[in-house]
Amino acid sequence: MDTLKVDVFFLWICMGTTFLEKDIRSVRLMLNAAHNDLYSMLFSIDFKAPGKVLFLSLFLGVCGIDRFYIGDTLMGVFKLLTGGGFGIVLFIDWFTISKVIRERNYDKLLAYLY
């Protein structure tokens, strides 16, 4: 993929803190090695915004909405039925859910590239 396309993708996705800091360099290398046909598909990937997930966790996490949003239905149901895991899971999610969503975004990108 040419450098301009990689830079556009980075402005759109990576600079929006969609991936973990440690993964950004490997993403750039993979995109440089990727075929040009993949470029249009990259913009169709449904990356979740870590800020939005954190917002959901802070205000609706007790109902499990944050976990439903990221596709973790079982944990969402657990949080819904137990009031955020009796507050314990809710508190832990406030500090970890942004990292979880960044890792899942990276896994989605890997699935498209390989």
Side-chain angles (χ1 to χ4, degrees):
M1 194 177 305
D2 66 40
T3 308
L4 179 62
K5 289 182 179 180
V6 172
D7 290 341
V8 169
F9 182 76
F10 262 74
L11 287 175
W12 181 63
I13 292 294
C14 296
M15 295 308 166
T17 64
T18 304
F19 302 111
L20 291 171
E21 186 71 31
K22 68 177 183 69
D23 295 331
I24 290 179
R25 185 169 193 271
S26 63
V27 167
R28 189 172 196 76
L29 293 173
M30 286 186 291
L31 290 174
N32 281 326
H35 194 272
N36 281 335
D37 295 342
L38 290 175
Y39 182 71
S40 60
M41 288 191 330
L42 292 175
F43 289 99
S44 66
I45 301 173
D46 182 29
F47 292 116
K48 304 291 185 190
K52 185 175 185 179
V53 175
L54 182 59
F55 179 81
L56 289 172
S57 186
L58 289 171
F59 295 103
L60 299 171
V62 73
C63 302
I65 302 299
D66 54 343
R67 290 297 183 151
F68 287 120
Y69 178 73
I70 65 173
D72 195 357
T73 308
L74 189 60
M75 183 59 84
V77 170
F78 173 74
K79 285 177 71 173
L80 179 65
L81 296 177
T82 62
F86 306 109
I88 297 168
V89 177
L90 175 67
F91 183 73
I92 292 170
D93 273 352
W94 289 346
F95 296 98
T96 61
I97 200 151
S98 291
K99 182 179 179 184
V100 168
I101 201 60
R102 287 182 175 122
E103 290 170 348
R104 290 188 181 187
N105 284 339
Y106 183 69
D107 292 341
K108 282 182 187 179
L109 181 66
L110 287 180
Y112 271 84
L113 293 177
Y114 295 110

